[in-house]
Amino acid sequence: MGAASPLAPAWLALPEDLNALHAPSWAHDVARNDGGELAVGGVTVSELKERFGTPLFVMSEDDFRARARAFRDAFDEAFRELCGGVDVYYAGKAFLSVEVARWVREEGLRLDTCSGGELAVAQRAGLPGAILGLHGNNKSVAEIRRALDLGVGRIVVDSIDELERVARIAQERRAEGEAGVAKVMLRLTPGVHAHTHEFIATAHEDQKFGLSMAPFTAEDAAERGVDPELSAAEQAVDAAVALEGIELLGLHCHIGSQIFEPDGFEIAARKLLSFHDAMQRKHGITLPEMDLGGGHGIAYTPVDTPRPAAEIAQALAAVVREACGELGIGCPRISIEPGRAIVGSTTFTLYEVGTRKTVQAEDPQDSSRTLPRRYVSVDGGMSDNARPVLYDADYSAALANRASDAPAQLSRVVGKHCESGDIVVKDVYLPSDVRAGDLLAVPGTGAYCWALASNYNYLARPGVVAVSGGSARWIIRGETEEDLLNRDMGAAQP
Ligand SMILES: *Cc1c(COP(=O)(O)O)cnc(C)c1O
């Protein structure tokens, strides 16, 4: 089976069976068939390669629907008694297409958007405005207008500037004879940042999103001419209550991404609920809703341990129940916004191997000797998965077109771009006989991969194939060379 390499990071164990798939990283209907080939819903990777080419995003529609339902059902059940259930907004920025927007609606979820373009996708899919949310820290006037024209269920307002802008646009619409009220939530930063296994809680917020719940510093308050006792969050609530054209639904927070432990969500929920209570009392109002954001983690590698949706839902419901009890208030209707946790594991990227080489790298434990590291180049890279470059994200990979009994070899899967940082999977054990023409599958690429794709080096962006009921079809076709030249005005000249 090969030997563990000292070049491997401490977390990466030598797998007992290189042909085995780590189930949490894959769609539920991905498996090796009797011939050892990877198949999704019975459709083999060689068939997918034949019909659609590589690189290719391969998404299990059945798995997407199952995960969407699982989130909705788990949260609904945990919160039913407390507040009548939960609204689950799929965070479209993770991956969105017209078909996916339709699946979201059919499975009883709502859709979060954060741009005019995402609203356009939702609109083309025929989604009613009432089940849409609009996010963003710098929405344009046109985007706000479009959202109000569509009758979106909520605009999540990120700043006092924006609150005033939304109110002004709502009033203009009223003057034009349209509905003149914007349903608004206020995005607050509760001072909790969660990332994977850790979270940090801070009093002050140093990031672009949201309204801080911390009081202003004396200098800041003097400069802005505001009451230093009042946080930006409280000023925003005061303004929202006073402004014509604003209907304040409640408070919102989103504390981070790829979170595994519930404690960060719990602290944020407590902070938000106590502020929610204070604001209801101060203004004698009822805020009917509260949004606790997304960020639920998935398994990119075998060491990631996501919790089932039901477990997160129950932990959160317990905290919300307790906090509402302590405050003596009714529970607002809760909503959440998972993106990655619904779409991430539904998809793998299929690549073809082109070239290999093995280099000698210095042994981190003994600088007097070197150890082999194998590079395996595939036909995509940072243009279809920017996350390793952007976030140092780890992935795993599996030989997909066949099983292999060859010993394990520590490998680095790299792309074809003119960039040495163009890494797809930094460290993974692959069979030593992986060779040109083999297919590699990288799981967990459903979220923030296609969405972040680029045309670097004039590579055509891969398309997305959905597999359901044993058949595969494009939901977004791959780009062609024509697509690449379409907007080049010089190309149109004779
Ligand atoms: C990105 C984002 C989400 C979704 O995050 P995931 O990590 O994909 O679950 C939800 N809400 C807001 C406001 C976001 O910005």
Side-chain angles (χ1 to χ4, degrees):
M1 82 190 227
S5 167
L7 290 178
W11 60 264
L12 182 66
L14 183 67
E16 273 177 33
D17 176 3
L18 282 176
N19 297 312
L21 301 177
H22 180 65
S25 300
W26 299 84
H28 71 270
D29 49 358
V30 172
R32 284 192 194 276
N33 64 17
D34 293 343
E37 190 179 349
L38 216 63
V40 50
V43 182
T44 63
V45 291
S46 49
E47 192 182 331
L48 290 166
K49 148 103 192 152
E50 191 65 30
R51 277 185 63 196
F52 304 102
T54 55
L56 182 69
F57 288 103
V58 182
M59 172 182 282
S60 164
E61 176 182 347
D62 300 338
D63 193 67
F64 183 100
R65 290 178 181 273
R67 286 177 202 270
R69 269 197 305 276
F71 251 90
R72 193 202 59 195
D73 291 349
F75 274 83
D76 239 6
E77 180 166 335
F79 281 87
R80 185 170 302 127
E81 244 174 75
L82 195 57
C83 59
V86 167
D87 296 318
V88 180
Y89 285 77
Y90 169 64
K93 73 174 200 256
F95 175 76
L96 190 61
S97 77
V98 170
E99 278 235 21
V100 164
R102 291 192 188 119
W103 305 344
V104 164
R105 181 190 186 187
E106 284 162 11
E107 298 305 332
L109 278 69
R110 300 176 176 221
L111 181 69
D112 258 344
T113 62
C114 61
S115 68
E118 288 183 4
L119 281 174
V121 177
Q123 209 173 349
R124 193 66 70 91
L127 267 57
I131 67 164
L132 304 180
L134 178 66
H135 271 282
N137 68 305
N138 188 17
K139 306 169 189 74
S140 69
V141 168
E143 286 169 330
I144 295 166
R145 267 200 165 264
R146 182 173 199 160
L148 293 176
D149 288 345
L150 279 170
V152 298
R154 54 166 68 164
I155 296 178
V156 181
V157 165
D158 208 90
S159 63
I160 296 178
D161 281 345
E162 186 177 87
L163 184 68
E164 290 166 351
R165 189 169 302 146
V166 171
R168 198 175 61 241
I169 296 168
Q171 288 166 41
E172 283 167 18
R173 282 172 48 85
R174 175 172 299 177
E176 295 157 10
E178 304 286 341
V181 176
K183 291 183 177 168
V184 156
M185 298 192 87
L186 294 174
R187 177 167 178 173
L188 310 187
T189 47
V192 181
H193 299 274
H195 184 66
T196 308
H197 293 285
E198 291 163 311
F199 74 91
I200 50 169
T202 57
H204 287 274
E205 288 290 345
D206 191 3
Q207 60 146 309
K208 75 169 186 173
F209 289 113
L211 293 146
S212 176
M213 296 176 75
F216 284 97
T217 62
E219 305 84 65
D220 205 11
E223 191 191 313
R224 291 165 190 249
V226 297
D227 181 347
E229 297 295 309
L230 294 190
S231 64
E234 184 161 355
Q235 292 189 43
V237 173
D238 292 356
V241 169
L243 276 169
E244 191 101 16
I246 297 290
E247 178 186 343
L248 183 59
L249 296 178
L251 309 174
H252 170 287
C253 71
H254 171 69
I255 60 170
S257 269
Q258 187 58 356
I259 302 164
F260 292 117
E261 303 302 325
D263 34 11
F265 291 118
E266 291 169 9
I267 293 183
R270 275 183 186 281
K271 270 191 97 163
L272 233 59
L273 279 164
S274 92
F275 183 70
H276 165 100
D277 170 47
M279 293 301 100
Q280 289 195 146
R281 281 189 284 111
K282 175 175 178 179
H283 293 287
I285 53 172
T286 300
L287 299 173
E289 297 189 30
M290 177 172 289
D291 192 310
L292 298 174
H296 315 91
I298 65 165
Y300 285 108
T301 72
V303 292
D304 292 331
T305 51
R307 296 175 183 236
E311 207 175 301
I312 307 167
Q314 278 154 21
L316 207 52
V319 165
V320 169
R321 182 179 299 113
E322 191 181 290
C324 288
E326 282 164 16
L327 296 163
I329 57 172
C331 179
R333 179 153 179 111
I334 300 290
S335 48
I336 57 165
E337 306 172 328
R340 185 192 319 262
I342 289 177
V343 72
S345 307
T346 65
T347 301
F348 62 83
T349 310
L350 190 64
Y351 298 105
E352 184 178 281
V353 174
T355 59
R356 298 164 305 170
K357 76 166 185 178
T358 301
V359 300
Q360 292 296 318
E362 190 177 291
D363 182 346
Q365 279 137 40
D366 176 1
S367 63
S368 69
R369 66 171 191 158
T370 61
L371 297 162
R373 185 197 307 284
R374 183 176 60 166
Y375 283 82
V376 176
S377 300
V378 295
D379 50 354
M382 60 192 288
S383 55
D384 58 71
N385 190 351
R387 294 190 66 258
V389 181
L390 271 180
Y391 313 119
D392 225 359
D394 287 311
Y395 282 87
S396 66
L399 177 59
N401 54 311
R402 62 189 173 91
S404 167
D405 295 329
Q409 190 171 7
L410 184 69
S411 304
R412 180 162 289 172
V413 181
V414 296
K416 61 178 283 156
H417 291 279
C418 303
E419 192 85 46
S420 52
D422 174 27
I423 291 168
V424 179
V425 185
K426 199 167 177 194
D427 299 288
V428 61
Y429 287 103
L430 288 172
S432 61
D433 65 350
V434 167
R435 55 184 180 257
D438 273 334
L439 300 177
L440 287 188
V442 174
T445 57
Y448 308 109
C449 290
W450 186 89
L452 285 166
S454 77
N455 288 123
Y456 184 42
N457 294 138
Y458 270 82
L459 259 64
R461 283 173 295 181
V464 183
V465 153
V467 181
S468 175
S471 70
R473 65 189 194 282
W474 286 124
I475 55 170
I476 294 181
R477 71 161 169 78
E479 278 178 330
T480 62
E481 204 170 283
E482 246 343 274
D483 291 326
L484 292 177
L485 286 162
N486 250 342
R487 292 178 304 140
D488 186 325
M489 300 315 283
Q493 289 168 13

